[in-house]
């Protein structure tokens, strides 16, 4: 079995790395704030000193960090992945970034002879814990085949989408639609309750019809209970909306609904809700 590195042990990365360890992979972890490694070391992981160190010692290194800046920071500099990876080894970045960042990382890695795959995921904390993420892979086909056993532990499907950039683009399409849906869902729930309707009845009626979906089910209960326990930080949803709107600009694609939803998420960050669940957008709408 191949040795695996895992960089970035936030909400998502911690759960994904834990599943790999439990499945019997030989895993070396690293996190910027080293204290977060302890729980995984207790499960049986080794602890790497730097991203360079991990990439130099593992056959395939996975990364799951917050945003494009963090994803680039992991790869660059004397302690970065690109400095350690060397010929033939693999680097799989599972963070959500834009296609340009992904292509920049790909060139940093392949320049040293390393192989690169982008593999952002659809799904938040619970699917990460349950190993039921949807993994959107694109890039080096041989690395895709080598990474598949690990993908099978972390996710329920891992389609191959083509050249680097297409995984990032697919993820932005998915999350842009999710952010837009959450925003209009919050407006509907607020409007109905202001008009004197019962919140639970609104949810039940939506759930019985063509708009029924797992996200409305899960987030609906959170909104009614004013429970914003973080599964997917609101700040990350706003990042994805921002990146999607930017992609629309680049491709001359009008995105009026997404652009307005993005403003609601920006307002929620300004109001101090960035670390809460994305459902907290409701607080600036209701
Ligand atoms: P979290 O829980 O906010 O975790 C973010 C992780 O990214 C965490 O390990 C951070 O390390 C790490 N990070 C952030 N900035 C940096 C820099 N500059 N260098 C190295 N590491 C960094 O996010 P999630 O796990 O919910 O989400 C991860 C991705 O999945 C994200 O792209 C989402 O859009 C989807 P720290 O612990 O702060 O030292």
């Amino acid at each position: 079995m191949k040795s695996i590195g895992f960089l970035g042990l936030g909400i998502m990365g911690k759960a994904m790395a834990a599943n790999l360890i439990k499945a019997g992979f030989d895993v070396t972890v690293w996190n910027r704030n080293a204290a977060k490694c302890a729980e995984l070391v207790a499960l049986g992981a080794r602890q790497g000193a730097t991203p360079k160190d991990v990439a130099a010692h593992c056959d395939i290194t996975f990364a799951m960090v917050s945003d494009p800046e963090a994803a680039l920071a992991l790869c660059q500099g004397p302690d970065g992945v690109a400095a350690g990876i060397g010929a033939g080894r693999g680097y799989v970045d599972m963070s959500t970034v834009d296609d340009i960042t992904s292509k920049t990382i790909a060139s940093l890695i392949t320049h040293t002879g390393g192989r690169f795959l982008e593999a952002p995921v659809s799904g938040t904390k619970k699917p990460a814990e349950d190993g039921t993420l949807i993994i959107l892979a694109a890039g080096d086909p041989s690395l895709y085949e080598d990474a598949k056993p690990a993908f099978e532990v972390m996710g329920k499907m891992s389609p191959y989408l083509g050249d680097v950039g297409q995984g990032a683009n697919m993820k932005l399409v998915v999350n842009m639609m999710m952010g837009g849906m959450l925003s209009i869902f919050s407006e509907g729930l607020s409007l109905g309750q202001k008009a004197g309707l019962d919140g639970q009845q609104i949810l039940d009626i939506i759930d019985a019809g063509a708009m029924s979906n797992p996200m409305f089910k899960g987030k609906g209960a959170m909104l009614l209970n004013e429970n914003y326990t973080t599964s997917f930080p609101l700040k990350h949803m706003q990042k994805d909306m921002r990146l999607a709107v930017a992609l629309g600009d680049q491709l001359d694609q009008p995105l009026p609904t997404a652009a307005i939803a993005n403003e609601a998420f920006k307002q929620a960050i300004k109001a101090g809700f960035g670390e809460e669940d994305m459902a907290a957008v409701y607080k600036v709408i209701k």
Side-chain angles (χ1 to χ4, degrees):
M1 195 171 284
K2 294 185 183 305
S3 58
I4 286 195
F6 208 105
L7 312 175
L9 305 171
I11 296 173
M12 299 293 287
K14 183 178 116 181
M16 294 156 75
N19 283 336
L20 291 170
I21 298 163
K22 288 178 199 157
F25 284 96
D26 171 13
V27 180
T28 302
V29 295
W30 175 90
N31 193 66
R32 182 179 59 176
N33 168 2
K36 290 189 188 166
C37 295
E39 218 176 301
L40 294 151
V41 169
L43 284 178
R46 292 169 223 268
Q47 186 170 345
T50 59
K52 173 186 171 184
D53 173 49
V54 175
H57 289 99
C58 298
D59 297 313
I60 303 179
T61 297
F62 294 86
M64 188 56 154
V65 291
S66 45
D67 53 25
E69 292 71 33
L72 268 174
L74 277 188
C75 293
Q76 293 168 324
D79 288 333
V81 172
I85 195 154
R89 295 183 189 275
Y91 185 58
V92 182
D93 191 349
M94 304 187 78
S95 321
T96 296
V97 302
D98 57 287
D99 67 328
I100 293 170
T101 301
S102 204
K103 285 173 188 161
T104 307
I105 294 173
S107 101
L108 284 169
I109 300 298
T110 52
H111 201 69
T112 66
R115 297 178 294 157
F116 178 74
L117 199 66
E118 64 175 1
V121 305
S122 177
T124 55
K125 187 178 175 199
K126 180 84 171 47
E129 288 169 349
D130 296 346
T132 55
L133 294 164
I134 298 168
I135 298 170
L136 306 170
D140 189 306
S142 73
L143 180 55
Y144 173 71
E145 290 306 325
D146 290 349
K148 242 181 159 177
F151 286 161
E152 278 162 12
V153 168
M154 295 187 276
K156 66 176 173 190
M157 78 186 277
S158 50
Y160 180 74
L161 298 166
D163 292 340
V164 171
Q166 294 302 62
N169 288 338
M170 177 61 87
K171 174 66 199 280
L172 293 185
V173 168
V174 170
N175 274 19
M176 180 192 84
M177 290 171 69
M178 194 186 333
M181 282 171 67
L182 186 56
S183 167
I184 195 72
F185 181 60
S186 299
E187 290 182 19
L189 200 56
S190 282
L191 178 67
Q193 290 182 101
K194 293 250 166 73
L197 295 166
D198 177 68
Q200 189 57 53
Q201 275 186 322
I202 298 173
L203 295 183
D204 292 344
I205 288 163
I206 296 294
D207 192 44
M211 272 190 292
S212 171
N213 69 70
M215 184 183 74
F216 283 0
K217 252 196 184 92
K219 300 299 177 194
M222 289 175 74
L223 300 191
L224 283 192
N225 296 325
E226 301 268 344
N227 164 18
Y228 305 110
T229 308
T230 310
S231 281
F232 184 47
L234 186 143
K235 64 177 181 187
H236 289 337
M237 175 49 86
Q238 194 275 319
K239 169 201 64 172
D240 294 345
M241 297 300 286
R242 167 170 59 81
L243 295 174
V245 170
L247 183 63
D249 278 356
Q250 208 182 303
L251 300 177
D252 218 6
Q253 168 63 47
L255 299 172
T257 310
I260 288 175
N262 181 39
E263 294 302 318
F265 285 101
K266 277 163 69 180
Q267 224 179 317
I269 289 180
K270 202 167 169 205
F273 309 142
E275 301 297 332
E276 296 181 40
D277 191 72
M278 62 177 174
V281 73
Y282 185 59
K283 289 199 264 185
V284 296
I285 287 172
K286 79 183 171 89

